[in-house]
Amino acid sequence: METAPTGELVDSALPVSGGAGSDAPATADAIKQLGFAAAIASLGYVFWVVGAMEMVERLAYYGVKAVATLYAKDPVSKGGLGVTMTEFGTILGAWAWIQSIVPVLTGGLSDRYGYKETIFASTIIKICGYVTMGLFPTFSGFFAGAILLATGTAIFKPGVQGTLVKATKPDNSSMAWGVFYQTVNIGGFIGPVLAGYMRKMAWHNVFYTNAAVICCNFILLATYEEPGKSERLARNALFKQGAVKRSSLAAESLRELAKLHVWSYLLIFAGFWFMFMALFDVLPAHIDDWVDSRDIVKTLFGNHGTTNPIVRFFVVMNKDGTAIQPEGMLNLNAGMIMLTCFLFAYVSGKMRATTSMVVGTLLASLALVLCGYSTLGWVSVGAIAVFSVGEMLSSPKFSEFMGNFAPADKKAMYLGFSQMSLAIGWTLEGKIGPVLYDRFASKERFAREMIGQRGWSADAIAAIPQGEAFEKLVEMTGQTREAVTRALYTTHNVGLVWYIMGAVGVVTAIGIYSYGRWIIGMVKAPVET
């Protein structure tokens, strides 16, 4: 890393894609990032509208995603799906694959046919997904809704991110991606808060509310002119006239993906997404089963909790105000990003992109290990906070790095490619993560085993509705829920699933570091000593 005369650090090894036949990144000129105030001031109207659209989309999306695991494991008697984590993993695997792989195939469509057009179409599909989830409270109904939601999200992403790249410049890209990430997490914060309130009334309220929320994007779409639209229309006119030959979109995509620095980057970062998605897919179940948030409530509100309805709403507490719901604890992630991401964007702008990603990935790995270390609420809060810092240092840099080395006319295509990394990591986690949890940490399974040890037959145990075995065990023992939880926790290595996830993160960090050294060697950029 070199220091510019102004004191700003320069990413002298930023790879920019070479020509169509090139397998190596071309050497980029040093890109000096604007100062903090100048960078924010340089972000134009279109950037902020795009941020608002992503905020609305994330509000609705995380309003479902934050509670999906809890909905799946909640017994049918309480309005949930009443399925095991392994069964839910089937939904997650398909959801992850569709949402992640479709942009790889359709990202180029946004470049050719318009970012606004694809955003509009995606919003229609997402509305159908939320409504389907609400109308059909069954495994099949939720599966169908998840596929629709995944498809709509997949089409939405390249259009929005392509617009962002067109609306920013290389000298403010670090701040732009950081602020964008921060802005959308306002939606990511409000979504779970709203969902936590709605699910206390009825689960279907969560889905219908978010269908209504995302309709706001139709209004925002009408308020701006798509950047680069005239150039796109001019290119399309030349293609129609035959003046310029347009190659197959599939052939173009395959040619770009075949470049070594592209596919290797995507493959390495898949490990990050594997452990990252566990925070949203598996940790809610872990918190619900094992983490005791009463120590947090006692510290903040006293032994009897709080009766303040505003506090209960924003902290996402139970009806008695004595405990924090899992989505409330996880919402610390979005809250921290919402309030501090621009600061970490500034910090990460002082580092090479790969250095920032390595540090962030290692912090996230440490956080997952902490998740499995203790059942204390404050330890879980600390783990989520550490994870959030790691996320802010790594995740925005992944997209920024990908967008910057993409050719000028293939920004959405490359940002679509970035979803391939997510496709690999999240699909594997979506299927493997819940299975690991069922194997090493399922309170439901452990409760059934303990009931069997007390003399119940296999048929009698099987007759207990899914999701109700722990309550049955509490009833049998006559002990408190907390005492039974401690007994189960001390006899099983619950933390093992999180140690495995953390190990994946460490291996990924090593891969990112090696990739960064390789890229520096390829472009023969000077290395700061």
Side-chain angles (χ1 to χ4, degrees), residues 453-521:
Q453 293 167 5
R454 287 176 170 261
W456 279 44
S457 68
D459 290 340
I461 295 173
I464 301 173
Q466 180 62 35
E468 297 184 10
F470 177 72
E471 297 300 336
K472 176 60 69 175
L473 180 61
V474 170
E475 179 185 322
M476 289 175 59
T477 61
Q479 298 178 347
T480 65
R481 301 178 83 258
E482 291 74 24
V484 177
T485 296
R486 282 195 299 272
L488 292 174
Y489 185 84
T490 55
T491 54
H492 296 86
N493 191 3
V494 173
L496 184 58
V497 62
W498 298 107
Y499 304 151
I500 294 172
M501 295 292 183
V504 171
V506 172
V507 172
T508 300
I510 294 171
I512 296 172
Y513 174 79
S514 301
Y515 180 88
R517 304 305 299 174
W518 173 60
I519 287 294
I520 291 172

Side-chain angles (χ1 to χ4, degrees), residues 344 348 351 356-357 359-360 363 389-395 397:
F344 286 99
S348 67
M351 296 184 277
S356 184
M357 287 187 279
V359 173
L363 285 174
V389 174
E391 178 185 347
M392 286 185 277
L393 290 175
S394 51
S395 187
K397 279 294 182 183

Side-chain angles (χ1 to χ4, degrees), residues 315-435:
V315 181
V316 195
M317 303 180 74
N318 62 5
K319 292 180 180 179
D320 299 328
T322 56
I324 302 173
Q325 296 176 184
E327 61 268 38
M329 292 184 64
L330 280 171
N331 219 23
L332 174 65
N333 172 259
M336 281 187 61
I337 295 171
M338 177 179 67
L339 296 174
T340 66
C341 193
F342 71 97
L343 295 175
F344 286 99
Y346 182 69
V347 171
S348 67
K350 299 287 186 180
M351 296 184 277
R352 290 189 187 279
T354 50
T355 301
S356 184
M357 287 187 279
V358 167
V359 173
T361 301
L362 289 175
L363 285 174
S365 302
L366 172 62
L368 294 185
V369 172
L370 287 174
C371 286
Y373 179 73
S374 172
T375 62
L376 291 176
W378 278 117
V379 173
S380 292
V381 165
I384 294 168
V386 171
F387 187 96
S388 302
V389 174
E391 178 185 347
M392 286 185 277
L393 290 175
S394 51
S395 187
K397 279 294 182 183
F398 171 70
S399 298
E400 178 195 344
F401 196 74
M402 195 78 184
N404 278 342
F405 72 54
D409 61 340
K410 295 183 175 68
K411 297 297 185 183
M413 178 186 288
Y414 268 61
L415 288 166
F417 291 165
S418 70
Q419 298 299 298
M420 181 176 290
S421 184
L422 178 61
I424 298 169
W426 187 16
T427 301
L428 289 174
E429 182 281 326
K431 189 60 183 174
I432 296 173
V435 172

Side-chain angles (χ1 to χ4, degrees), residues 124-134 141 144-149 207:
I124 296 291
I125 297 171
K126 286 171 73 69
I127 291 171
C128 293
Y130 292 126
V131 171
T132 299
M133 289 176 174
I147 296 303
L148 285 169
L149 181 56
F207 309 119

Side-chain angles (χ1 to χ4, degrees), residues 201-215:
M201 293 185 286
W203 274 112
H204 64 258
N205 288 340
V206 173
F207 309 119
Y208 296 144
T209 297
N210 290 309
V213 166
I214 201 166
C215 289

Side-chain angles (χ1 to χ4, degrees), residues 110-123:
S110 295
D111 290 317
R112 286 193 178 183
Y113 302 113
Y115 300 148
K116 293 182 70 172
E117 286 79 359
T118 53
I119 293 171
F120 182 88
S122 72
T123 303

Side-chain angles (χ1 to χ4, degrees), residues 218-240:
F218 291 131
I219 300 172
L220 291 170
L221 269 173
T223 64
Y224 71 97
E225 181 71 21
E226 179 184 310
K229 181 177 181 179
S230 57
E231 291 85 350
R232 173 174 59 80
L233 293 176
R235 284 197 306 270
N236 288 344
L238 290 174
F239 292 135
K240 287 181 181 179

